[in-house]
Amino acid sequence: MYGIQIDKNSIFTITRQLYDQLRNLILNNELKAGTKIPSSRNLSKELKISRIIVVEVYEQLIAEGFLNPRKGAGTFVADGAFLQNNKKDPVRSTSQAINTNKSSTNCFAEISFKIGIPDLSLFPVNKWIKVLKDVYQFAHLSHFGYTNPGGIAELKIKLAEYLLRSKGIRCYPEQVIILAGSSQCILTAAKLVADYSEKIIVEDPSYKKVYELLTSNQLKITPVPVDHQGIQISKIPENKKQLSMIITPSHHFPLGSILPIQRRIKLIEIVRNNQGYIIENDYDSEFKYTGQTVQALQTLDPDRVLHIGTFSETLFPSIRLGYLIVPVNLIAKCSTIVIKNELAVPSLNQLALAIFIEEGHLEKHINQMKKHYLKKRELLYSLLTDTFDNNIEILGDPTGLFLTVSFLNVEWNDKAINKLKEYQVNVDTVANHTIIKGKHKDKLILGFGSLSFKQIEEGINQLKKAVKDILAERV
Amino acid sequence: MYGIQIDKNSIFTITRQLYDQLRNLILNNELKAGTKIPSSRNLSKELKISRIIVVEVYEQLIAEGFLNPRKGAGTFVADGAFLQNNKKDPVRSTSQAINTNKSSTNCFAEISFKIGIPDLSLFPVNKWIKVLKDVYQFAHLSHFGYTNPGGIAELKIKLAEYLLRSKGIRCYPEQVIILAGSSQCILTAAKLVADYSEKIIVEDPSYKKVYELLTSNQLKITPVPVDHQGIQISKIPENKKQLSMIITPSHHFPLGSILPIQRRIKLIEIVRNNQGYIIENDYDSEFKYTGQTVQALQTLDPDRVLHIGTFSETLFPSIRLGYLIVPVNLIAKCSTIVIKNELAVPSLNQLALAIFIEEGHLEKHINQMKKHYLKKRELLYSLLTDTFDNNIEILGDPTGLFLTVSFLNVEWNDKAINKLKEYQVNVDTVANHTIIKGKHKDKLILGFGSLSFKQIEEGINQLKKAVKDILAERV
């Protein structure tokens, strides 16, 4: 009847099959308005299915307006339930797997000196699972409900304590805003200070994703050049009112310097005079291989500096946890931005991190990884100097998961980069992160966090071959 | 010397104590530029600490620019390392716990008919932990790294399959965008369609948070009144170009109706003619207590409808997982918005949900909870009719975790609401969710998902007393 087919082996119930087919017959005008439909008794006989099912489906179609019951006369197809050009079961299959997440097959051979990826294989996953399990089993039920945007109190408190121990930051837990990664923190901080500044000063070069994030959100930036000590104070435009800036003082990206105290003090004086703010993007100071972790710029003036950190390198990137420390007088405004943009982080992950910090696992892990990364860095350093001798200069402070190298005899233009790819080496350039183009063409950024010792060796070997080719072709 | 105090019982290392104190002496101008500092040998003797520590601290302070070594002459305090008004260790203690997350002590007594909160005590936490554990232990390392904004492929595929089974939605996995909760989905969808529409039509009444979210993001809204069947098509402004709308067709919030097929078809025709879009906010159709889940409006025209769903009610709110199904031609644009706003969801939670769906746990849990919530609804329904007789009308379709009740003899103004509070009952009103004020003053919204059977009984008992008072005071 009406071509209705019931398949008793389908993954869909008989009720659902009948409902879908009757609904589509009406929507497509194959069952026209005013048509009397068979009684439930007749249809159930015809289709050899239970009458209860037919009654149930008719009732639902009546409730949704497809059918009209008329007392004593039967049930009729309702007016206005026909849709022109109803997409008749568009053949959208879900079977086509998408592999956007998978690495390309090339990656087995390619050595990628990727930036910002920690050694994921050494994350203490069992400790983390244990904490997570405890959290799910013993957390108060309220942690499963709607919780504070901007982070749960437990993590704010533990982070404030940790930041005092690790970076000398003194802040109230209320100043700690937890967001889904440092980029979300940067965007939030930039929106926050944008009200107090026409343009935001950014270092040139600086991490491309950061300044692109600002400009894609209609925030205006002014690039200021960086030398071997960090941002050049003398190049900051003067007499600007309400000048704000985003900088990486602990370890400049990508040139690697620690901003000296004299420049730090001048920056503080500038924002004090201009009623502006400094956004301190501290993406990796945890991995400082010599001496103490540099005290945060934030400590010099907690009312003028917003401090940003991340757990992407200390835990793992996909945990999506970053923090933003805001001056006390910006807490309320920051909260408004977080709510307005519906930024949210799963509470139980936050609670797990709070306990992970409290039980000392975080600092223990960081200390172990520091030793591990130092070995990788030393290997990379010695391979580079052994291979390229006086033809390179290694820049910056021994901190973090990358090394920046200046080549005295190579310009890393497209052709040279393609040569690297031929040799299955994937390396980022400083030039890629410059805003005003034309400078820093001599420099490569070698991320080593996620590479094995063997891969580092192979990578430098391939780099050597590529450089040889590049130099040979130039002659 | 210089008042430096070393406390061997401090939580800070001796190195850190010396570094912090010397640094502060210079920053505060207590050690002035040009001052020659003691040799490491003398200082270590004086403070009775290891000379190696002093050397290490001096080296760090030299690296940071605080000190200047002059060959053969000693080490001197550098110029420009003095900061006017250095905040001298601001007394910011981290010991003040903040309790923003905790319920107030009143809550022990108060019965809160909260909207949108599931029964958290019945979430199958052990099954979830098991899946989560497997995910952390066996997931490919790439899931710990940076993953696709907008969701991982595994979850997109499983969700597309689930949505076909549950709501009849046919879509490619690429059309599924995973975000941190349905509000984030709504905001993203609204920004997406805003380019194609001057104003966005919203139902009046509708969930307050939704229209406030739109207006706080400078999106313009046009309220259209709702009757007992849902949005009133005849009240939609005609001849508007590029008209878009956000509606709740499966179960109107807060009036509870299912939008009939005739109105659905007219809405589709309107957006087809205007090149606009419908955002279908399906916040709770999973808990339909009679018949089949209503087929999504999206199935009528997948090219003109964006569909939004959430796991806040089917799992728990703080998991922060929602989904947005976009038409194929909006995928790229949606991705741009997600990236531009740095929206991100932890991958391993996503992967856990994908497996939770694949192993059938989600649908099993939903079916169990449906039975459980139906019992609560039936209790609430019978208590209401027993208590208030013909003085109330219960509105809407038996779906979801709330009941809307119209009182024929009470106006729920501030005074009446305060009376409820006196009786320790917390209830939301429909009037609270109206955009154009003055209507629906007779209606309460009773959320029952998170209340126990006993609490429901007590709550209605208190409500009865409050209503009695309100009626008595009016006379």
Side-chain angles (χ1 to χ4, degrees), chain B residues 109-356:
Chain B
E110 194 187 65
I111 308 282
S112 183
F113 285 94
K114 262 189 226 154
I115 300 160
I117 314 278
D119 193 332
L120 299 169
S121 66
L122 294 180
F123 178 69
V125 73
N126 288 326
K127 271 185 202 162
W128 179 257
I129 289 171
K130 204 191 153 297
V131 170
L132 210 52
K133 198 176 152 185
D134 284 353
V135 159
Y136 270 95
Q137 280 180 328
F138 303 118
H140 190 271
L141 275 190
S142 64
H143 281 290
F144 289 79
Y146 287 94
T147 59
N148 256 9
I152 63 168
E154 289 83 347
L155 180 56
K156 287 171 185 250
I157 292 167
K158 289 297 149 200
L159 254 182
E161 291 169 6
Y162 164 71
L163 289 172
L164 176 61
R165 289 196 300 273
S166 66
K167 303 181 185 178
I169 291 176
R170 279 166 205 275
C171 64
Y172 297 110
E174 290 90 334
Q175 290 175 263
V176 181
I177 314 296
I178 318 285
L179 296 172
S182 65
S183 299
Q184 211 173 74
C185 291
I186 288 168
L187 183 57
T188 302
K191 285 179 179 172
L192 195 53
V193 304
D195 284 353
Y196 304 95
S197 42
E198 254 179 71
K199 290 187 174 190
I200 297 175
I201 285 175
V202 296
E203 298 163 323
D204 187 13
S206 62
Y207 193 45
K208 192 182 185 175
K209 210 187 139 184
V210 169
Y211 59 76
E212 286 185 349
L213 183 62
L214 302 188
T215 51
S216 77
N217 279 279
Q218 285 77 50
L219 295 162
K220 286 178 192 152
I221 60 168
T222 302
V224 169
V226 169
D227 64 18
H228 66 288
Q229 289 197 309
I231 187 165
Q232 292 181 263
I233 310 293
S234 59
K235 304 280 173 72
I236 293 177
E238 270 177 64
N239 298 325
K240 282 266 178 195
K241 277 209 170 168
Q242 298 179 327
L243 193 87
S244 288
M245 56 188 79
I246 174 161
I247 57 172
T248 53
S250 302
H251 187 219
H252 179 264
F253 184 90
L255 299 181
S257 60
I258 300 176
L259 194 69
I261 185 65
Q262 289 76 9
R263 293 195 187 186
R264 288 173 185 241
I265 285 174
K266 288 219 174 102
L267 289 180
I268 296 285
E269 285 167 355
I270 289 171
V271 290
R272 278 184 184 172
N273 290 338
N274 291 299
Q275 307 291 309
Y277 292 95
I278 298 171
I279 300 169
E280 177 178 30
N281 179 12
D282 182 20
Y283 59 99
D284 74 352
S285 72
E286 289 87 353
F287 298 116
K288 189 172 188 318
Y289 305 113
T290 57
Q292 300 290 297
T293 301
V294 179
Q295 290 251 324
L297 180 63
Q298 191 268 2
T299 61
L300 293 183
D301 194 341
D303 293 332
R304 288 279 148 211
V305 182
L306 291 78
H307 181 93
I308 289 168
T310 171
F311 291 97
S312 290
E313 293 195 353
T314 50
L315 297 178
F316 53 92
S318 82
I319 188 75
R320 301 278 84 215
L321 276 170
Y323 52 90
L324 165 62
I325 317 297
V326 295
V328 171
N329 65 330
L330 293 184
I331 294 173
K333 199 159 185 173
C334 186
S335 172
T336 308
I337 294 177
V338 170
I339 291 167
K340 181 180 146 179
N341 290 285
E342 275 297 336
L343 304 179
V345 181
S347 310
L348 293 155
N349 285 359
Q350 293 183 58
L351 199 56
L353 177 55
I355 293 173
F356 203 73

Side-chain angles (χ1 to χ4, degrees), chain B residues 349-411:
Chain B
N349 285 359
Q350 293 183 58
L351 199 56
L353 177 55
I355 293 173
F356 203 73
I357 293 173
E358 187 177 57
E359 294 186 349
H361 300 312
L362 179 70
E363 276 145 289
K364 198 173 166 195
H365 176 55
I366 290 174
N367 282 331
Q368 284 175 348
M369 293 311 289
K370 218 193 279 192
K371 285 175 204 156
H372 176 74
Y373 291 135
L374 176 58
K375 279 185 203 152
K376 285 189 180 174
R377 191 183 193 275
E378 282 172 345
L379 174 66
L380 180 58
Y381 197 102
S382 64
L383 286 171
L384 282 167
T385 46
D386 291 355
T387 309
F388 299 105
D389 257 343
N390 295 327
N391 293 316
I392 59 159
E393 189 191 346
I394 294 172
L395 309 176
D397 189 73
T399 297
L401 308 184
F402 69 89
L403 260 185
T404 299
V405 187
S406 159
F407 285 75
L408 307 185
N409 53 1
V410 185
E411 186 186 304

Side-chain angles (χ1 to χ4, degrees), chain A residues 126-146:
Chain A
N126 288 326
K127 272 185 201 163
W128 180 256
I129 289 170
K130 205 191 154 295
V131 170
L132 211 52
K133 196 177 154 185
D134 285 352
V135 159
Y136 270 94
Q137 281 180 326
F138 304 117
H140 190 272
L141 275 189
S142 64
H143 281 291
F144 288 79
Y146 287 94

Side-chain angles (χ1 to χ4, degrees), chain A residues 16 20 60 64-65 79 84 98 143 164-165 174 184 217 261-262 272 292 295 318 340 342, chain B residues 16 20 60 64-65 79 84 98 143 164-165 174 184 217 261-262 272 292 295 318 340 342:
Chain A
R16 170 74 181 270
D20 281 355
Q60 174 136 0
E64 291 186 27
D79 282 335
Q84 212 109 34
I98 36 175
H143 281 291
L164 176 60
R165 288 196 300 274
E174 291 90 334
Q184 212 173 73
N217 279 279
I261 186 64
Q262 289 75 10
R272 278 183 183 173
Q292 301 289 296
Q295 291 249 324
S318 82
K340 182 181 145 179
E342 275 297 336
Chain B
R16 170 74 180 270
D20 281 354
Q60 174 136 2
E64 293 186 27
D79 282 335
Q84 213 108 33
I98 37 174
H143 281 290
L164 176 61
R165 289 196 300 273
E174 290 90 334
Q184 211 173 74
N217 279 279
I261 185 65
Q262 289 76 9
R272 278 184 184 172
Q292 300 290 297
Q295 290 251 324
S318 82
K340 181 180 146 179
E342 275 297 336

Side-chain angles (χ1 to χ4, degrees), chain A residues 102-150:
Chain A
K102 301 273 158 58
S103 327
S104 77
T105 43
N106 268 344
C107 276
F108 288 107
E110 195 187 64
I111 309 283
S112 183
F113 285 93
K114 263 190 224 155
I115 298 160
I117 314 278
D119 193 332
L120 299 167
S121 66
L122 293 179
F123 178 69
V125 73
N126 288 326
K127 272 185 201 163
W128 180 256
I129 289 170
K130 205 191 154 295
V131 170
L132 211 52
K133 196 177 154 185
D134 285 352
V135 159
Y136 270 94
Q137 281 180 326
F138 304 117
H140 190 272
L141 275 189
S142 64
H143 281 291
F144 288 79
Y146 287 94
T147 60
N148 256 7

